[in-house]
Amino acid sequence: MSGYVSAQLSILCLNIIIAYAIFLPAASGQLNLGAGGFAIIGGYVGAYLNSSFDGLGWIMPISIPLAALATALIAFCLSFPILRTRGVYMVLATFAFAEVVAGIVLNMEVVGGAAGFPVDGHADISVLAPVTLGVVVFCWYLMSTRFGLALRSVHDDENVATLFGINVRWVRVAAFTLGGLLGGLYGALYGHQYNYIEVQNWNVLFNIYVLLYVLLGGTQTPYGPLIGALFFTFVPEMIRALGEALNSDLIADGRFALFGALIVLMMVFRPEGIVTRTLIERIVGRKSALSES
Amino acid sequence: MLLLQQIINGLMLGGVYVMVAVAFTLTIGMLNFLNFTIPALFMISAMMFWATMSGGFGEGFDALFGSVLPIGAQWVVAVVLALLAAVLCSLIIERFTYRYMRTRYGDATEHAIPLVSSLGFLIILEHVVIMIWGTDPLSLESPFGSATFRVGGLLIGIPQLISLLLSIAIVAALHQLLKRTKIGRALRSIAENPDTALLLGVDVKRIVPVVYVVTGLLCAIAGILFTINYRTVGPYMGEQVATIAIAGMVLGGLGNIWGAIIGGLIVGLLEALATYWFGADIVKVPIWGLLLLVLVIKPTGLFGQSAIGKGKF
């Protein structure tokens, strides 16, 4: 595998994991614009546990899960105040959370502040790929369980979900916490993949892009985030390759502008995301028990 | 004395945040839509202003305008171009967010579509500017020099003072527009319920673009004032300013124009004082920490109404 391909695949794996981290709360109707906050916590906890020079020097199989669990714990504690807010307020509260985390870590000298923080253990594609596969399979399975149904019913109508005996509050807390777990996992893996992290990796644009992965892929089915992450990872690269093939600087330089235009057009033609329940019904040719709504 | 100077600086900076925060709060209050293109509109107008003033359009453009206008009047063209660009972009954005949603679904707020489309436009506009002028911050000669005066040892910049007064005046005018004129009444009825407004004879399709035009104008004026005061522009300036303006808007309460003014001034003050006491790096923590605290304790902000912003997406 050439260096370029494995680098692209690593990015893809990381993007898929963070997309599912945002998908789980989004499936229950909560838009989380604070992906960066989770990523920073996971990344820095993982780095601190693993780094032998400034940190504790623990091995990678311990540092990564611990980082994910620590992030999940923070997400759990945070979910109670944040879930009091709704709609636009929730988007802004999660965004504020990410900004506060970024601001605090930027000023923590123990993890290097603005200079960034090195990580010793290296997680290459042979680690990333199985973990990503595990995350995807876990989320697909989760959405097919009773809990997944509960998530979707909360998304569609909270009051009806309550009438059917679903504890809406706990479903939301669980979705948010699981999202935090995956977000922390993403951050820790990112640190171990690049052996170096800095807060600026997870800025405002990162938060926006991750939310777009999920909304463009579609929140109705568990396949959406996968497609969204694939789209976001490969389409800009494809436009760049196209620009190079046509020898056109305009296309190569303007690939993100073109990409933004694609996003707008996607919303015009497929407002519920690329993958929807009806699309899957059409492809599979039958109605599954889960896709009636 | 130094503290008092910082308070003045904070209020001046707050003036810019006020305009952007009012633009946000207007779209959210009237159309229930968090318009993420506002940072881009702010940035586009600032870049237009810079480009006209500093030759960013190339020599042909400058020669053309130099032959028509005297040198001193260049800034008039710059202001007009900046306003035009922002309004034009805003109207294009209206087609793909509010109008599209309403014609197709009869309701513009049930889905996340306007939000996502506006994020798409933010990406487009930012990268178009990056394509033309690159990512580096660009500097500009102020057309009015560095006019300042002193009041008992306090340094007050005249452009800054004018911009603070101008922003409050514009917002007051906007308030009167909403309160007294026919368009204002129509807008407020749309804010209550677009369908009822339609039944009562409000031409929703023609009134809604007014919100976008006003949004564009507010962003453009804020962008121009920011450029004159701080004399640097860049493709990412919109994000930096507008995210703090969002914090100001939420502090004041969504949909409340006077709340946005107070919120904008509070974040301006907070930014200046936090920089003064703790340094520039940490400035985001108090602002966003305060916002998080307010949202958790009083989720509608300081003066907000509870009905706004609760749409399901």
Side-chain angles (χ1 to χ4, degrees):
Chain A
M1 207 186 300
S2 77
Y4 174 76
V5 174
S6 75
Q8 287 298 319
L9 282 179
S10 305
I11 295 172
L12 175 69
C13 287
L14 291 169
N15 284 348
I16 290 173
I17 294 175
I18 192 70
Y20 276 101
I22 296 304
F23 165 74
L24 286 176
S28 71
Q30 317 161 48
L31 288 193
N32 183 347
L33 196 53
F38 293 145
I40 290 170
I41 295 173
Y44 274 86
V45 170
Y48 187 78
L49 293 177
N50 182 258
S51 178
S52 60
F53 185 66
D54 304 292
L56 301 176
W58 295 358
I59 54 168
M60 210 166 64
I62 299 178
S63 65
I64 292 180
L66 270 185
L69 284 176
T71 318
L73 187 69
I74 290 178
F76 178 74
C77 300
L78 187 75
S79 64
F80 292 98
I82 278 203
L83 292 178
R84 288 186 62 200
T85 56
R86 291 284 156 81
V88 176
Y89 289 98
M90 162 126 194
V91 174
L92 294 172
T94 50
F95 183 66
F97 161 71
E99 290 289 307
V100 170
V101 170
I104 290 174
V105 172
L106 199 59
N107 288 280
M108 274 169 71
E109 284 310 316
V110 65
V111 288
F117 197 69
V119 187
D120 289 353
H122 182 66
D124 59 5
I125 186 76
S126 64
V127 179
L128 285 178
V131 173
T132 310
L133 195 67
V135 167
V136 173
V137 170
F138 170 71
C139 289
W140 288 6
Y141 169 72
L142 194 70
M143 291 309 283
S144 73
T145 59
R146 209 182 141 72
F147 176 72
L149 261 180
L151 274 185
R152 285 215 340 239
S153 66
V154 171
H155 174 273
D156 289 341
D157 196 320
E158 272 176 49
N159 296 332
V160 176
T162 315
L163 280 178
F164 277 96
I166 291 168
N167 189 333
V168 171
R169 188 181 170 84
W170 280 105
V171 166
R172 292 171 155 236
V173 168
F176 198 82
T177 309
L178 278 174
L181 183 82
L182 292 181
L185 182 67
Y186 160 84
L189 283 173
Y190 185 101
H192 286 87
Q193 156 75 17
Y194 294 103
N195 293 107
Y196 174 75
I197 49 175
E198 54 178 342
V199 175
Q200 285 87 339
N201 289 336
W202 296 298
N203 54 8
V204 179
L205 267 185
F206 171 81
N207 295 330
I208 291 176
Y209 272 126
V210 174
L211 189 59
L212 286 182
Y213 295 166
V214 175
L215 292 179
L216 268 191
T219 55
Q220 285 184 350
T221 68
Y223 314 109
L226 182 66
I227 303 295
L230 275 168
F231 184 83
F232 265 76
T233 313
F234 288 135
V235 168
E237 281 302 307
M238 274 153 60
I239 300 176
R240 194 176 62 90
L242 181 75
E244 275 171 6
L246 295 176
N247 234 340
S248 157
D249 284 342
L250 189 70
I251 294 179
D253 292 341
R255 66 182 188 278
F256 283 104
L258 254 173
F259 185 59
L262 263 180
I263 292 173
V264 174
L265 286 178
M266 285 296 278
M267 280 295 113
V268 170
F269 294 114
R270 290 205 68 78
E272 282 290 336
I274 302 174
V275 188
T276 54
R277 270 169 237 158
T278 35
L279 180 82
I280 290 186
E281 280 161 19
R282 277 185 204 150
I283 292 175
V284 178
R286 70 186 158 89
K287 277 193 174 224
S288 73
L290 280 175
S291 53
E292 279 162 32
S293 85
Chain B
M1 195 47 89
L2 214 55
L3 181 67
L4 212 57
Q5 179 72 56
Q6 291 306 320
I7 290 177
I8 288 175
N9 291 351
L11 287 177
M12 304 293 175
L13 183 62
V16 173
Y17 291 148
V18 163
M19 303 268 265
V20 182
V22 167
F24 270 116
T25 218
L26 195 69
T27 337
I28 246 183
M30 297 296 154
L31 309 178
N32 203 0
F33 156 43
L34 182 61
N35 189 347
F36 261 107
T37 51
I38 284 172
L41 296 176
F42 176 84
M43 183 269 298
I44 277 282
S45 57
M47 293 305 287
M48 283 291 163
F49 187 78
W50 166 83
T52 322
M53 296 298 292
S54 310
F57 287 126
E59 294 192 354
F61 180 86
D62 288 346
L64 184 71
F65 274 94
S67 61
V68 180
L69 278 162
I71 300 291
Q74 209 181 15
W75 63 276
V76 179
V77 182
V79 168
V80 171
L81 270 183
L83 293 178
L84 272 181
V87 169
L88 208 67
C89 289
S90 198
L91 283 176
I92 294 173
I93 289 156
E94 192 257 343
R95 299 272 152 158
F96 285 96
T97 52
Y98 191 87
R99 181 175 304 193
Y100 172 74
M101 282 301 303
R102 231 190 118 67
T103 8
R104 179 147 174 194
Y105 299 100
D107 175 14
T109 53
E110 267 298 304
H111 299 250
I113 301 168
L115 184 79
V116 175
S117 298
S118 72
L119 289 171
F121 275 108
L122 175 67
I123 297 172
I124 297 177
L125 291 175
E126 260 184 22
H127 282 94
V128 166
V129 167
I130 290 174
M131 267 167 76
I132 302 175
W133 290 299
T135 52
D136 295 331
L138 302 155
S139 64
L140 161 104
E141 289 269 321
S142 168
F144 309 110
S146 57
T148 54
F149 66 92
R150 288 178 174 274
V151 181
L154 294 173
L155 200 65
I156 298 176
I158 291 174
Q160 271 106 327
L161 186 66
I162 292 174
S163 60
L164 178 64
L165 295 177
L166 192 63
S167 57
I168 290 177
I170 287 173
V171 174
L174 189 65
H175 182 74
Q176 290 301 314
L177 174 93
L178 285 178
K179 211 172 165 190
R180 303 212 187 281
T181 63
K182 200 175 169 200
I183 288 183
R185 259 200 303 281
L187 281 175
R188 281 184 289 136
S189 70
I190 291 174
E192 289 277 328
N193 186 334
D195 296 327
T196 317
L198 200 64
L199 282 178
L200 291 175
V202 175
D203 195 348
V204 174
K205 261 194 181 149
R206 288 179 61 184
I207 296 291
V208 166
V210 172
V211 177
Y212 281 80
V213 170
V214 172
T215 305
L217 285 177
L218 283 169
C219 293
I221 296 168
I224 294 166
L225 292 177
F226 185 89
T227 315
I228 293 175
N229 288 342
Y230 299 95
R231 279 174 241 147
T232 49
V233 295
Y236 298 119
M237 65 187 286
E239 276 167 45
Q240 288 152 8
V241 171
T243 47
I244 293 179
I246 290 181
M249 165 190 73
V250 181
L251 277 183
L254 302 191
N256 184 328
I257 291 183
W258 293 104
I261 295 185
I262 294 170
L265 291 177
I266 289 177
V267 290
L269 265 179
L270 208 59
E271 184 173 344
L273 291 179
T275 314
Y276 174 63
W277 281 323
F278 309 114
D281 281 342
I282 207 159
V283 85
K284 280 183 170 179
V285 177
I287 291 177
W288 292 101
L290 178 68
L291 177 68
L292 203 56
L293 209 66
V294 167
L295 276 179
V296 167
I297 295 168
K298 193 170 181 305
T300 49
L302 296 176
F303 313 101
Q305 303 139 352
S306 54
I308 292 168
K310 294 239 166 122
K312 210 180 82 182
F313 276 122

